[in-house]
Amino acid sequence: MKGKLEPSVRQALVEEGKSLKEGLVALEEDLVHLTDKLQQEAQCIPNTTHPDAPIGSEENSILRRMVGSPRDFGFAVKDHLQLGKELDLFDFDAAAEVSGSKFYYLKNEAVLLEMGLINWALAEVSKRGFTPLITPEIVRSSVVEKCGFQPRGQNTQVYSIEGSDQCLIGTAEIPVGGIHMDSILPESSLPLKYVAYSHCFRTEAGAAGTATRGLYRVHQFSKVEMFVFCRPEDSDRYHEELIGIEEDLFASLGLHFKTLDMATGDLGAPAYRKFDVEAWMPGLDRYGEISSASNCTDYQSRRLGIRYRPSPSDPSQASSKKGKGSTPTQFVHTLNATACAVPRMIVCLLENFQQEDGSVLIPEPLRPFMGGLHVIRPKSK
């Protein structure tokens, strides 16, 4: 085109250029659609699993530890729904009218119990070197996806906000995971340990059965979550630390529970290995999950862009240029664990510490966080 050309030849080349430009636009549109489709397919690929994780479905999970034994009551046991009604602690009917099914009002001592559980869990975990956080409860859909959850999938547990790219969080794991998104952390800052309080929102799509009655499975609840960013070689050790903290917390309340090494079929996409704690719930006459602890290795950090720069073994290798070192960066490992999922803890406490006269004892560790309250008694008429 820059040389001398016959007008007819030049015009033909101009037309060819226009055609190429239009074709390129169409190809770029196809590329955007294909890239999005490829990204969605790639997000369906789960993390690898720990070589010691039991293989199979949930029933293949292995018992790691059993703490305590079921209490012998010596009287007819009530479930938390009956106890809550007699002690005037919940109102599910009004909440169903106001918000829909699987919502609830907490009343009277149940309010103190929720606040007490939250402050107790935050205080106990903070003592162990965790930084307390209160997180945003609305996050971008992209952050939800990068943490390994599927806001756009069928049977999603995520509430999406119409007309925006935002979602309500199902766990504080998501906003805490994003707190260092697209960052390079110095090795000296690791491990970073957080304990976060938030409300959580879940659709509970597909949930059914007797275990969904009352507080066991609800759309909105309060939770205290632990989260760790660490070096890859340390994540197995911190996984053991997290499950140890959970076990210490629940044992200190006098609960009977078991810890399970969960089988591969029960692991969510991000989890490399997961330990669940299931507490005995007399009203349900079964064990119910009250917490879990997951090692997600670098599954989330790769998506979130969270790296760390190892300290150089030879200080002379460090470069002072713009503060960047010559040592290659690595992805951190992320871990999460539930310190206290409030509704299920309320179920456990009411059902396990009920008395024959209809009252419920408050475990001693919680009393300082409930104004010294020792017992919840039936209201006098």
Side-chain angles (χ1 to χ4, degrees), residues 18 83 87 106 108 158 160 170 182 186 192 208 266 284 289 337 363 371:
K18 288 180 180 179
L83 289 163
L87 296 170
L106 293 183
N108 298 312
V158 179
S160 296
D182 299 323
L192 288 167
D266 192 63
L284 286 176
E289 181 191 339

Side-chain angles (χ1 to χ4, degrees), residues 351-368:
E351 294 187 359
N352 281 287
F353 298 113
Q354 61 183 294
Q355 305 300 303
E356 192 169 6
D357 65 358
S359 64
V360 175
L361 293 180
I362 303 298
E364 192 170 342
L366 293 179
R367 294 174 187 174

